[in-house]
Amino acid sequence: MDKKVKEQKRHQQKHSGPKAERKKLKKQGGSTEEDERKRNPRAFAVQSAVRMAKMFHRSQDIKTKKHHIPLVDRTPVEPPPVVIVVVGPPKVGKSTLIRCLIKNFTRQKLGDVCGPVTIVSGKKRRLTFMECNNDINTMIDLAKVADLVLMLIDASFGFEMETFEFLNICQVHGSPRIMGVLTHLDSFKNNKALRKTKKNLKHRFWTEVYQGAKLFYLSGMVYDEYQSQEVKNLGRFISVMKFRPLVWQTSHPYVLVDRMEDLTDPERLRTDPKCDRTVSLYGYLRGTYLKNKGQVHVPGVGDFQVADVNFLPDPCPLPDAQKKRALNEKERLLYAPMAGVGGVVYDKDAVYIDLPANHVNQQEEVQPTTELVQSLIDAHSTLDAKMAASKVSLFSNSTTLDPLVFDQQSREKDCPREEWIWDPSTQRERRAVIFTEKEDFDEDSGSSDDEDTDQEEEEDVDQTHLSTFLRKARAGCEGTEKSTLDGRPPVKKQKLDEQSEEWEMSTELLAFADSEDDLEMSEEEKDKKKEAGREGDSGHSSVEEEDQSDDEAEEDVAAAEASVEGEPGALRWKDNLHKKASEAFQRQQEAAPNLRKLVYGSVVEADDSEEVEEELGGLFRVSHPQKKKRVIANYVDCSRFNPDTSHNWDLEEMLSSIRDCFVTGKWEEDQDAAALLKEDEKLFGEFEDLETGEVHQGLAEENSGEEDAVHDAEDSLVKVDLEEVQKKKRLEKKRRLKERFDAEYDDGDATYFDDLKEEMQKQAEVNRAEFKDEDDETRVQYEGFRPGMYIRLEISSVPCEFVINFDPHYPIIIGGLGSSEGNIGYLQMRLKKHRWYERILKTRDPLILSLGWRRFQTIPLYHIEDHNGRHRLLKYTPQHMHCGASIWGPITPQGTGFLAVQSVAGMKANFRIAATGVILDLDKSVIVMKKLKLIGYPYKIFKNTCFVKGMFNTVLEVAKFEGASVRTVSGVRGQIKKALSAPPGSYRATFEDRLLMSDIVFLRSWYPVSVPQLYNPVTSLLLPVGQKDSWGGMRTLGQLKHDLGIRSKPSMDSLYKPVTRAQRHFNPLHIPKELQKALPFKSKPKQQQCKGKTPRDLQRPSVIREPYERKVAALLHALSTVHNHKRKKAHMVQHGKHKEFLQQKEKQEEAKMRRQKEARKKLYRVMGQMEQKKHRSSLKGAPQDV
């Protein structure tokens, strides 16, 4: 039985009442609040001035806290994908979250998350997901390029050290947007514990990031995936998030590489497997504009010079601008080449299509139904090979003609030979045809000598010879092996053999056509060749243009061959000699220098010819979307005026075309002479002389009526238009004056911050509109490759370990360097040891810094500035305060933050960020001084003067320190006076007081310390797979001693040992007699003799007891002992009884309390029952009398 769906009760809108009235007024456009203010103004008046001031201050504080320094928005129209880095400890759910987000956006499943994964998330936004593993090198690199960080936290375990490490790394390198995600929440069985854990983790996360940071909760998993609604909410939040531009990212171009290819010559790899490689790296350009031939740094590899940069079609383009709410299935693109996703891969000169194995097998099983196609598929040799092997008989009974015989004959006469020549203008290798006969071919020559020479050669060449010569050139082009030349760019391995053969053949035929068949071409062919020659002048043509030009050259050669075969023996070079001579003269006049090419180097020019679609294997057609955007930049040179004699000035049309260029022509309203004269007549036509009273009439009134009648018709037509134009001008002028007045006097709520933001917005609009109408090829020449383009960078001299040990799980970042950032020099920094790092840092211990794009190892010197401006060297970093540091490293702009770690190898239980800081200076102006104590010992003492030895070695050293202040350990100050002859290094010094032989004299001095020049880049990406987190580098002195088992010998003065002091004997106090007389009697020394031994007769005799007395004393001692024992025993018995009594009393108290508690419970129970009974009776009401 089907259940009926119960309809919900609809909401009934109110048609009357105050709420309905307010809605009606709102619909009508009225304002109820304004009416209420007018009706009752006292209700809206300020009740308390103090409260109003507090509210105003609070609102202003909240508004001011939201202010930030406005920056120019340099985001392009099509921004690059947003880089989202998913960070977290191992086994926390990073890959699962990325797969769920990709499935949410693209409806596709991704297996292994490997390398950057780019998707289209909306109409104007793309996302690039990158998983960050637990290697600190990867964490540092991805923190520099991340726009958003998804920080995964295992709620069942809590925060781990990797989370706090990555937070500190992000804070140093620009602080991207950070969003926390709690996972493993399904492990909590108790809701109270879950809520408490959420609260604790949220507040701790707010402490580390900022108050109110977003924290998402993923409650549980269903079929090894997170719940779809939670993932959908997270994706929606990511799609609408706004990002603050970071200073380092917006001032440097960088590329997060999503594809890498090795372009090294296979032959070179075979001969030398360890040679340096040439690689091409692909990815979206981010940051700022990138110039070609610039210097870049690849973190983990090193610094390189870019060999070439090209922009490619976007593999993951944004959808077309349409008014719709959601994307369709075709627009939900997913591009992850390192993960094996994305069937079509674009390259500079080819398109690669990845077909699955099952798809290929299906294509092979399907047989064509057409007999012609089947015959083409079954062919085992090419058409040229069949033509070369065929034999032709001219007559029915004649012998067959073998082409080999003609080849040998032609080779004996004028067989051309080829030579590989590197063409720097097209950046490729070309096969030039060199003839045995010395012929002087000049393309632009029109002289009679060349024509006579050509005439004599044409008379010797007949139709058969020319066709044989063309066929021989093609066969030689296919059979020639490619030679390797030094200095040419490497050939890609992935290029198809067929494509390379077509390229070589077309190149040779093009050279052949340029050299010999130029004089045999028709007029249309010459025009085509002329345009192709102009296009070839760009110097930056791509392979697509070369292929197109090669195809045109083949068509030209075929046409020439057909024309010669059709008209045997015809010498067409004599036709239209006058026209040819005029064209040659005009070409020489047009041969002016190309200023744009001289200033900007090679210039890309477009091709106006029809697009020739190429075919790959007869199945696919290669599209060239770049050709549609090309525009001829300098097709006509404007620096030279070409006289055109085709204009016939006798025609009326030609005269009327330039009629308005003269004064009598029709000009604009404000520049037309007739209109201006009429305005003058209106202004000054009628006036009265106030002194004489004479009235002057205008010219129009003085003229006769006949002339007025002639001009009335014209005036009536022009008058209406002039009035309208003048009215528009007046209104526009008033509007501009009002805007200027409002801008000066009516500021309103506008502040300096608003003005600054408006100025930045205008600058951003100007930047976007500068090259808005130009095509990509032209814009690249002027402003470089702009952010958002998908580019291909070719880098040479890359270590072979980068390709051999390539691991797609580790990110490859190409960071662009500034003009001076590639140099190495001295850097002054402000540094502070991290408070979570356990050990203090020691001077001259190697330290690994992350500065800019680089990660390198260096040796710092720590110092602190004293009150007198001296930079004093520190042996260790101070606790909880900043200090200065000097290093030898790459030049980096001032204000750039950095972080330091002691080691990047392996995992450590403690916090790994050792220190953080900022760059202060870029020169060697700071001189670090080290304090040095020189110690000496006195060997002769003369009152306040003494001789000191052991401090210096030579007289010259003493002379350098003459006048220096010295002091002793006891605090007596002195000064060095003069050096002594013997012993060497001794000197004479004076002191404030007399010294003792046991005193030690020391001298405090300072000497400058040089900064060690060590710059060791961290090449972690060159290590084998699985060992990329084990880069060692230079070890500290302590690590070396520990690894080698060396124990440092301690100083004997630092050891603890028993102190043996000799007893000192002081001389007796001697007081002069005169002083004794002046002393009071109390202080005078007394003439007392010391008491000697007591004589024996005065000593007290010892008591000797009798035997009876000894017995009595023994009995008394025994009785006292027994009495004491009994008393002690009775005391212990009494103590035990008292203890038992206290225990019994405690039990009684407990029983008493228990009884009282039960009695209270019973009493409260009875009272509660009575209260309930009374409450019930009160509910029933008072009892009624019967």
Side-chain angles (χ1 to χ4, degrees):
M1 185 176 181
D2 298 332
K3 296 181 180 180
K4 294 183 178 180
V5 180
K6 184 178 179 180
E7 295 184 358
Q8 294 183 355
K9 186 177 180 181
R10 296 182 179 179
H11 174 68
Q12 294 182 357
Q13 297 182 355
K14 290 190 176 184
H15 300 283
S16 63
K19 191 173 182 180
E21 294 295 333
R22 285 197 299 270
K23 286 188 176 180
K24 289 180 182 178
L25 287 175
K26 190 175 181 181
K27 287 183 179 179
Q28 293 175 3
S31 176
T32 59
E33 186 176 353
E34 292 181 0
D35 297 339
E36 290 175 358
R37 283 180 179 272
K38 292 177 182 179
R39 187 172 61 254
N40 190 5
R42 293 185 62 184
F44 294 90
V46 177
Q47 302 295 331
S48 174
V50 178
R51 184 181 178 189
M52 191 69 181
K54 288 183 179 179
M55 291 176 61
F56 175 75
H57 290 315
R58 174 171 169 76
S59 62
Q60 290 299 317
D61 290 342
I62 294 174
K63 186 178 179 180
T64 308
K65 284 181 181 179
K66 296 180 180 180
H67 286 178
H68 55 268
I69 300 175
L71 300 174
V72 179
D73 186 13
R74 302 185 185 277
T75 307
V77 179
E78 290 190 5
V82 177
V83 179
I84 302 177
V85 178
V86 183
V87 189
K91 304 296 181 183
V92 78
K94 300 188 291 294
S95 302
T96 307
L97 179 61
I98 293 177
R99 282 195 290 267
C100 292
L101 286 172
I102 292 172
K103 185 179 179 182
N104 173 61
F105 284 115
T106 64
R107 311 290 190 268
Q108 300 182 35
K109 289 186 178 180
L110 184 65
D112 184 19
V113 180
C114 190
V117 181
T118 304
I119 61 174
V120 177
S121 63
K123 292 183 290 185
K124 295 182 179 180
R125 176 164 289 189
R126 294 169 291 182
L127 306 177
T128 295
F129 292 97
M130 184 69 193
E131 181 182 350
C132 179
N133 52 28
N134 203 26
D135 183 13
I136 193 170
N137 293 311
T138 307
M139 295 164 67
I140 290 173
D141 291 342
L142 288 179
K144 299 173 185 177
V145 300
D147 298 319
L148 172 64
V149 175
L150 294 181
M151 189 161 288
L152 270 65
I153 302 163
D154 188 353
S156 62
F157 184 81
F159 284 104
E160 299 184 48
M161 198 59 75
E162 290 84 357
T163 303
F164 293 108
E165 288 175 350
F166 193 82
L167 280 173
N168 280 271
I169 294 171
C170 289
Q171 290 169 1
V172 170
H173 291 300
S175 293
R177 295 295 298 270
I178 299 176
M179 195 161 56
V181 180
L182 288 183
T183 60
H184 294 79
L185 293 176
D186 51 353
S187 60
F188 289 92
K189 305 302 180 185
N190 188 3
N191 287 333
K192 185 176 181 181
L194 177 60
R195 288 196 301 270
K196 188 176 181 180
T197 304
K198 282 184 179 180
K199 183 178 179 181
N200 293 337
L201 293 176
K202 179 179 68 175
H203 285 285
R204 181 61 193 177
F205 187 71
W206 286 2
T207 304
E208 291 297 326
V209 185
Y210 62 88
Q211 291 295 321
K214 193 65 179 174
L215 190 65
F216 273 89
Y217 307 107
L218 300 180
S219 57
M221 301 185 71
V222 179
Y223 298 112
D224 295 335
E225 290 182 354
Y226 296 113
Q227 296 184 11
S228 59
Q229 187 61 36
E230 296 175 348
V231 176
K232 188 176 181 180
N233 293 338
L234 178 59
R236 189 176 301 160
F237 199 88
I238 293 172
S239 299
V240 299
M241 180 176 290
K242 295 181 180 179
F243 301 100
R244 171 97 172 127
L246 304 180
V247 177
W248 180 263
Q249 293 183 2
T250 53
S251 60
H252 293 78
Y254 63 96
V255 177
L256 180 60
V257 176
D258 55 18
R259 187 158 68 98
M260 189 271 290
E261 290 185 8
D262 186 10
L263 306 180
T264 315
D265 189 8
E267 181 64 23
R268 188 180 177 191
L269 289 178
R270 187 185 65 81
T271 56
D272 185 11
K274 296 293 183 180
C275 65
D276 291 342
R277 307 296 178 89
T278 300
V279 298
S280 62
L281 303 173
Y282 302 80
Y284 287 96
L285 179 62
R286 296 174 172 88
T288 183
Y289 294 90
L290 175 67
K291 294 291 185 180
N292 200 354
K293 309 296 182 183
Q295 195 171 8
V296 297
H297 177 79
V298 181
V301 184
D303 293 355
F304 299 99
Q305 189 81 17
V306 176
D308 190 16
V309 184
N310 303 98
F311 67 91
L312 304 177
D314 198 338
C316 194
L318 288 170
D320 297 332
Q322 297 179 0
K323 293 183 179 180
K324 54 184 179 180
R325 294 178 59 87
L327 303 175
N328 55 32
E329 294 300 326
K330 290 184 178 180
E331 294 171 345
R332 298 179 183 272
L333 298 178
L334 172 63
Y335 182 69
M338 292 188 181
V341 179
V344 180
V345 178
Y346 294 92
D347 201 352
K348 177 183 176 182
D349 50 3
V351 179
Y352 303 100
I353 301 177
D354 185 15
L355 297 179
N358 54 2
H359 183 74
V360 176
N361 293 334
Q362 292 176 3
Q363 292 293 332
E364 291 176 356
E365 292 174 0
V366 176
Q367 297 294 335
T369 56
T370 307
E371 183 178 358
L372 178 60
V373 177
Q374 182 65 32
S375 63
L376 292 175
I377 294 176
D378 295 338
H380 298 287
S381 60
T382 61
L383 187 62
D384 290 339
K386 290 183 177 180
M387 290 293 294
S390 62
K391 297 181 179 180
V392 182
S393 59
L394 297 177
F395 304 100
S396 59
N397 296 327
S398 64
T399 59
T400 58
L401 302 176
D402 193 355
L404 296 177
V405 178
F406 289 91
D407 290 345
Q408 292 177 1
Q409 295 176 358
S410 61
R411 190 179 296 113
E412 292 175 358
K413 294 183 179 179
D414 53 354
C415 176
R417 58 184 181 87
E418 65 175 359
E419 182 178 357
W420 290 88
I421 297 177
W422 170 251
D423 189 1
S425 61
T426 59
Q427 293 294 316
R428 65 187 182 94
E429 198 175 38
R430 308 186 70 171
R431 301 172 63 187
V433 178
I434 299 176
F435 297 91
T436 55
E437 298 179 3
K438 296 182 180 179
E439 299 174 353
D440 188 11
F441 296 106
D442 190 2
E443 296 179 357
D444 298 332
S445 63
S447 61
S448 60
D449 297 338
D450 294 340
E451 292 174 0
D452 296 338
T453 307
D454 295 336
Q455 180 180 2
E456 293 174 2
E457 291 175 358
E458 291 295 339
E459 291 175 356
D460 298 337
V461 177
D462 55 0
Q463 172 187 358
T464 308
H465 186 87
L466 180 59
S467 60
T468 307
F469 187 77
L470 290 170
R471 187 169 63 251
K472 174 196 65 60
R474 284 199 194 95
C477 178
E478 294 175 355
T480 308
E481 295 180 356
K482 188 175 182 180
S483 59
T484 304
L485 297 176
D486 296 334
R488 69 185 186 197
V491 183
K492 295 183 61 174
K493 296 189 296 183
Q494 292 87 351
K495 187 170 291 185
L496 300 175
D497 296 338
E498 295 85 353
Q499 206 171 17
S500 61
E501 291 178 0
E502 292 177 3
W503 188 4
E504 294 169 2
M505 183 177 67
S506 62
T507 306
E508 184 178 2
L509 290 178
L510 180 61
F512 176 77
D514 287 341
S515 60
E516 192 170 33
D517 284 345
D518 191 15
L519 301 176
E520 294 276 347
M521 288 183 181
S522 62
E523 300 300 327
E524 296 179 357
E525 292 169 352
K526 279 191 171 292
D527 294 339
K528 291 182 181 179
K529 185 175 180 181
K530 179 180 176 181
E531 294 177 1
R534 289 180 180 175
E535 294 163 2
D537 190 39
S538 63
H540 193 71
S541 61
S542 60
V543 180
E544 299 169 358
E545 295 177 351
E546 293 168 2
D547 295 340
Q548 186 174 359
S549 62
D550 294 345
D551 296 339
E552 293 177 357
E554 289 180 0
E555 294 175 1
D556 295 342
V557 173
E561 184 178 354
S563 63
V564 173
E565 290 177 358
E567 299 178 6
L571 299 180
R572 300 177 56 189
W573 62 272
K574 294 183 178 180
D575 298 340
N576 298 326
L577 288 179
H578 176 72
K579 188 175 182 180
K580 290 179 182 179
S582 62
E583 289 179 356
F585 176 74
Q586 188 173 1
R587 282 199 302 269
Q588 292 178 0
Q589 292 294 326
E590 292 177 354
N594 192 346
L595 300 179
R596 184 162 175 259
K597 182 177 178 181
L598 294 176
V599 175
Y600 296 104
S602 57
V603 181
V604 178
E605 299 177 358
D607 192 1
D608 280 347
S609 61
E610 298 180 357
E611 296 185 358
V612 181
E613 295 184 350
E614 303 177 14
E615 293 187 357
L616 295 177
L619 299 176
F620 306 103
R621 295 185 181 275
V622 180
S623 63
H624 302 288
Q626 296 179 359
K627 291 184 178 181
K628 299 178 181 179
K629 301 181 180 179
R630 290 177 182 147
V631 180
I632 297 177
N634 51 356
Y635 181 74
V636 177
D637 194 352
C638 60
S639 62
R640 183 178 294 275
F641 174 73
N642 297 324
D644 192 359
T645 58
S646 61
H647 300 304
N648 188 4
W649 299 108
D650 296 334
L651 298 177
E652 185 65 25
E653 297 177 356
M654 299 302 298
L655 296 177
S656 60
S657 62
I658 63 171
R659 192 182 304 277
D660 294 336
C661 298
F662 299 93
V663 179
T664 57
K666 292 182 179 180
W667 287 31
E668 296 180 359
E669 288 81 358
D670 56 346
Q671 297 177 357
D672 191 8
L676 293 175
L677 288 174
K678 290 179 181 179
E679 288 181 3
D680 293 341
E681 290 177 1
K682 291 179 181 179
L683 292 176
F684 310 106
E686 300 178 3
F687 66 94
E688 180 181 359
D689 193 353
L690 298 177
E691 295 180 355
T692 60
E694 184 180 358
V695 178
H696 296 272
Q697 299 293 334
L699 294 177
E701 295 181 0
E702 295 177 356
N703 293 334
S704 62
E706 296 179 358
E707 295 178 355
D708 293 341
V710 174
H711 295 288
D712 280 344
E714 297 179 0
D715 293 343
S716 61
L717 296 175
V718 179
K719 187 175 182 181
V720 179
D721 296 336
L722 290 177
E723 288 180 356
E724 291 181 357
V725 171
Q726 294 296 332
K727 186 178 180 180
K728 289 181 180 179
K729 287 184 179 180
R730 285 195 300 270
L731 292 176
E732 183 68 20
K733 186 176 181 180
K734 288 181 179 180
R735 188 183 62 81
R736 287 200 301 268
L737 289 174
K738 187 175 185 303
E739 288 180 355
R740 190 184 306 169
F741 180 81
D742 294 341
E744 291 180 0
Y745 298 100
D746 297 340
D747 291 339
D749 296 333
T751 60
Y752 173 73
F753 180 72
D754 297 333
D755 297 340
L756 198 59
K757 285 204 309 185
E758 185 179 358
E759 183 182 351
M760 295 296 178
Q761 183 67 24
K762 290 180 179 178
Q763 184 63 41
E765 293 176 359
V766 169
N767 294 345
R768 290 194 183 97
E770 181 65 27
F771 293 99
K772 183 179 179 181
D773 299 331
E774 300 291 338
D775 62 302
D776 291 341
E777 290 284 350
T778 308
R779 293 184 65 174
V780 164
Q781 295 294 322
Y782 290 107
E783 63 181 359
F785 296 87
R786 66 179 181 275
M789 282 185 167
Y790 190 79
I791 63 172
R792 170 187 181 271
L793 292 94
E794 185 175 331
I795 301 176
S796 58
S797 302
V798 179
C800 62
E801 291 82 5
F802 175 71
V803 179
I804 297 173
N805 303 327
F806 175 71
D807 188 358
H809 292 90
Y810 286 82
I812 302 175
I813 299 169
I814 304 175
L817 301 177
S819 58
S820 63
E821 293 179 13
N823 303 327
I824 308 295
Y826 292 97
L827 300 180
Q828 312 299 329
M829 308 183 298
R830 183 172 62 242
L831 177 137
K832 182 182 180 183
K833 186 190 80 69
H834 202 284
R835 57 192 175 93
W836 290 358
Y837 194 70
E838 292 183 346
R839 305 175 59 188
I840 59 175
L841 304 179
K842 185 180 179 182
T843 293
R844 295 184 182 275
D845 270 358
L847 203 63
I848 298 174
L849 299 182
S850 171
L851 178 62
W853 298 119
R854 297 179 172 91
R855 288 179 279 114
F856 60 94
Q857 190 178 41
T858 186
I859 297 178
L861 293 182
Y862 306 119
H863 53 83
I864 194 169
E865 187 175 2
D866 293 335
H867 63 280
N868 57 359
R870 182 193 298 120
H871 293 270
R872 174 165 48 91
L873 181 70
L874 297 177
K875 190 174 183 181
Y876 300 99
T877 54
Q879 290 282 358
H880 310 298
M881 64 179 294
H882 290 85
C883 68
S886 299
I887 66 167
W888 172 264
I891 300 299
T892 310
Q894 298 175 356
T896 306
F898 71 90
L899 64 90
V901 293
Q902 286 239 313
S903 176
V904 295
M907 289 295 299
K908 293 189 177 181
N910 299 325
F911 194 72
R912 289 182 283 185
I913 307 299
T916 57
V918 68
I919 299 295
L920 296 180
D921 223 340
L922 303 176
D923 56 1
K924 202 181 176 184
S925 59
V926 175
I927 300 176
V928 183
M929 308 293 289
K930 183 178 181 181
K931 183 172 64 176
L932 180 64
K933 283 187 177 181
L934 302 177
I935 301 174
Y937 304 95
Y939 67 95
K940 277 187 181 181
I941 300 173
F942 308 96
K943 205 173 181 181
N944 289 353
T945 303
C946 69
F947 295 164
V948 182
K949 66 177 182 179
M951 186 176 290
F952 303 106
N953 296 322
T954 62
V955 179
L956 185 61
E957 293 180 2
V958 179
K960 188 176 181 180
F961 284 91
E962 282 184 1
S965 60
V966 294
R967 64 185 303 172
T968 63
V969 178
S970 57
V972 181
R973 293 173 295 182
Q975 188 180 19
I976 298 176
K977 291 298 184 180
K978 196 173 183 180
L980 299 176
S981 58
S986 61
Y987 60 89
R988 176 173 59 87
T990 58
F991 292 89
E992 295 175 336
D993 197 1
R994 182 186 175 91
L995 299 188
L996 300 177
M997 296 295 292
S998 59
D999 282 333
I1000 300 175
V1001 183
F1002 62 89
L1003 169 68
R1004 294 181 62 182
S1005 61
W1006 301 88
Y1007 78 98
V1009 182
S1010 61
V1011 180
Q1013 295 186 0
L1014 173 67
Y1015 169 68
N1016 184 18
V1018 178
T1019 56
S1020 57
L1021 291 182
L1022 304 183
L1023 298 176
V1025 178
Q1027 302 178 11
K1028 295 186 182 297
D1029 57 348
S1030 60
W1031 189 85
M1034 184 179 179
R1035 292 176 290 179
T1036 63
L1037 185 62
Q1039 291 174 349
L1040 283 172
K1041 289 183 177 180
H1042 180 268
D1043 296 343
L1044 300 177
I1046 301 174
R1047 299 191 63 180
S1048 57
K1049 295 180 181 180
S1051 176
M1052 298 304 295
D1053 295 336
S1054 300
L1055 297 177
Y1056 291 98
K1057 53 189 175 181
V1059 180
T1060 57
R1061 300 186 184 275
Q1063 187 176 0
R1064 300 190 64 177
H1065 299 280
F1066 296 97
N1067 297 327
L1069 181 61
H1070 175 68
I1071 302 175
K1073 290 181 180 182
E1074 296 296 331
L1075 184 58
Q1076 287 183 13
K1077 290 178 182 180
L1079 289 175
F1081 178 78
K1082 181 181 178 181
S1083 301
K1084 286 181 179 181
K1086 308 298 188 297
Q1087 301 296 331
Q1088 295 177 355
Q1089 296 180 357
C1090 58
K1091 291 183 179 181
K1093 291 184 178 180
T1094 305
R1096 186 172 293 181
D1097 56 348
L1098 296 177
Q1099 290 179 359
R1100 187 177 179 180
S1102 59
V1103 179
I1104 300 174
R1105 294 178 179 179
E1106 296 289 336
Y1108 175 74
E1109 292 177 352
R1110 284 199 297 269
K1111 289 181 180 181
V1112 171
L1115 180 61
L1116 290 174
H1117 181 67
L1119 290 175
S1120 63
T1121 302
V1122 172
H1123 176 70
N1124 291 336
H1125 179 66
K1126 286 182 179 181
R1127 189 175 61 181
K1128 186 177 180 181
K1129 189 175 181 182
H1131 178 72
M1132 293 181 65
V1133 171
Q1134 182 66 22
H1135 181 69
K1137 289 180 179 181
H1138 184 66
K1139 191 174 181 180
E1140 291 178 1
F1141 170 74
L1142 291 177
Q1143 290 177 357
Q1144 291 177 2
K1145 191 176 181 180
E1146 188 177 355
K1147 289 181 180 179
Q1148 291 174 3
E1149 289 291 335
E1150 289 180 358
K1152 182 180 177 181
M1153 295 297 293
R1154 197 179 299 112
R1155 288 195 302 271
Q1156 289 179 359
K1157 189 175 182 181
E1158 292 293 336
R1160 284 197 299 271
K1161 282 186 178 181
K1162 190 174 182 181
L1163 179 62
Y1164 292 153
R1165 192 180 300 113
V1166 173
M1167 291 175 65
Q1169 291 175 358
M1170 292 175 64
E1171 189 71 25
Q1172 290 180 1
K1173 186 176 181 181
K1174 185 177 179 180
H1175 184 63
R1176 285 197 297 269
S1177 64
S1178 65
L1179 293 175
K1180 291 179 181 179
Q1184 299 177 359
D1185 296 337
V1186 179

